[in-house]
Amino acid sequence: MSVNHSALIEEAVKTLQAGDLVAFPTETVYGLGADAKNPEAIKKIFSAKGRPSNHPLIVHIAAPEKSSESNTDWTDVLSPWVRDLSEDALKLINTFWPGPLTLVFKKDNSVLFELTGGQNTVAIRSPAHPIAQELLHHFQGGVVAPSANRFGKVSPTRAAHVRSEFQDIPHLKILDGGDCDVGIESTIIDFSSGDQ
């Protein structure tokens, strides 16, 4: 990011609030983000990527502040999104979040049909990249963010890749966080069936 870091984050937050898209870095790949509670913004992701609308999106959330020296309380953060948060899921969350792990849960009834591809599940992740966390904390909500590339193309690991991929969207806001550390998508574990 450049000299005026907090101004860029604030501008990105306003862009999301206005229902527009923001590309941002995670530790895995760059994501193309939209407000997870705005159906019109979510449709813009599918349109920009050329992605089939029955492919669900991952909701990215900010890590909560630590409630004690060793424990972070994820329950309140997850409650607007998921049902049936198991002890096993919480063990994984407390061990690997923020980080490159996506968990799939039965969705809360308030979760938009547009982001789940019509399924009764929702995928959630808390990325470890500091810029992603700062954006999510300031936005104070979930951001759906598939990889910032056209459907079927290689996922971007640099801001320049995103700009090149979406040259036809010149106003696309891109937060440049340098190269992604991991370079491949997150691991996905499904907790939606109740099977352990």
Side-chain angles (χ1 to χ4, degrees), residues 147-191:
S147 55
N149 57 286
R150 305 285 183 192
F151 186 69
K153 299 284 182 105
V154 175
S155 298
T157 57
R158 296 181 172 167
H161 297 160
V162 179
R163 175 57 58 218
S164 172
E165 190 78 1
F166 294 106
Q167 291 178 42
D168 59 327
I169 309 176
H171 63 278
L172 176 64
K173 177 88 171 124
I174 302 172
L175 295 176
D176 188 345
D179 291 0
C180 299
D181 291 339
V182 178
I184 57 170
E185 283 78 1
S186 63
T187 299
I188 299 173
I189 298 177
D190 190 346
F191 278 98

Side-chain angles (χ1 to χ4, degrees), residues 24-31 58-63 74 77-78 93 96-105 122-129 132-133 136 142-143 145 182 184-188:
F24 63 93
T26 74
E27 73 282 15
T28 56
V29 297
Y30 274 75
I58 296 172
V59 178
H60 292 64
I61 57 172
W74 290 93
V77 177
L78 289 167
I93 288 166
F96 295 108
W97 278 8
L101 177 67
T102 297
L103 299 179
V104 178
F105 300 98
V122 63
I124 310 272
R125 140 171 153 80
S126 185
H129 198 288
Q133 281 295 322
L136 292 164
V143 173
V182 178
I184 57 170
E185 283 78 1
S186 63
T187 299
I188 299 173

Side-chain angles (χ1 to χ4, degrees), residues 103-118:
L103 299 179
V104 178
F105 300 98
K106 282 193 166 108
K107 74 177 189 74
D108 183 81
N109 291 334
S110 67
V111 175
L112 294 174
F113 170 88
E114 288 82 358
L115 78 84
T116 65

